[in-house]
Amino acid sequence: MQTDLSGHRETAHALLRMVAGFGFLCHGVVAVYFLLGEGTPYSPAWLYNTAGIVEFVTGALILAGYRTRLAAFLASGQMAVAYFYRHQPEGLLPIQNDGELAALYCFVFLFLATAGPGKWSVEACCPPGGRA
């Protein structure tokens, strides 16, 4: 017997946005923590620290569902750069170069940039520009 789950599409969309945003925010927290006191284990440090700030800010925006399309577009671009700058030189495929997470984040954020925040978001209750 098949079950029609299409009624849960909006809930799955919102949960995907929140989980991806939270994960990205956590990566940003780690990078900002290194920036604020522990130094960075990566080189060049300025690039890692800048990426951490972008991860922190865009992750928080995506998690909250505020300015989601812009934040997700920026996060997707950052992950594409991270993949090709940091991972791709180590091997052709993501499984070879440890770039699975960067590739997955890139495409999840690209989806969110096109689909928007969905329900359970700041934009759903208070749209930018005052449209209700």
Side-chain angles (χ1 to χ4, degrees):
M1 173 182 248
Q2 271 189 323
T3 305
D4 182 21
L5 297 176
S6 62
H8 300 287
R9 183 176 294 151
E10 289 184 26
T11 301
H13 177 172
L15 290 172
L16 175 67
R17 174 187 48 80
M18 291 187 291
V19 169
F22 180 72
F24 212 54
L25 172 66
C26 289
H27 279 278
V29 167
V30 170
V32 170
Y33 174 73
F34 280 123
L35 172 67
L36 295 178
E38 293 294 316
T40 179
Y42 298 104
S43 182
W46 68 269
L47 183 60
Y48 180 73
N49 293 335
T50 303
I53 293 167
V54 171
E55 290 167 0
F56 182 83
V57 172
T58 59
L61 290 171
I62 292 166
L63 173 61
Y66 184 70
R67 301 289 185 189
T68 307
R69 290 179 191 268
L70 176 61
F73 182 74
L74 293 173
S76 177
Q78 178 183 340
M79 288 294 93
V81 169
Y83 181 80
F84 287 107
Y85 179 79
R86 171 77 173 82
H87 297 285
Q88 199 275 328
E90 302 296 320
L92 180 63
L93 301 174
I95 196 74
Q96 295 173 316
N97 61 31
D98 201 27
E100 302 98 334
L101 190 57
L104 184 60
Y105 268 136
C106 179
F107 284 97
V108 167
F109 291 140
L110 186 60
F111 167 75
L112 291 172
T114 59
K119 67 179 187 178
W120 300 337
S121 66
V122 172
E123 289 182 42
C125 70
C126 310
R131 296 178 307 262

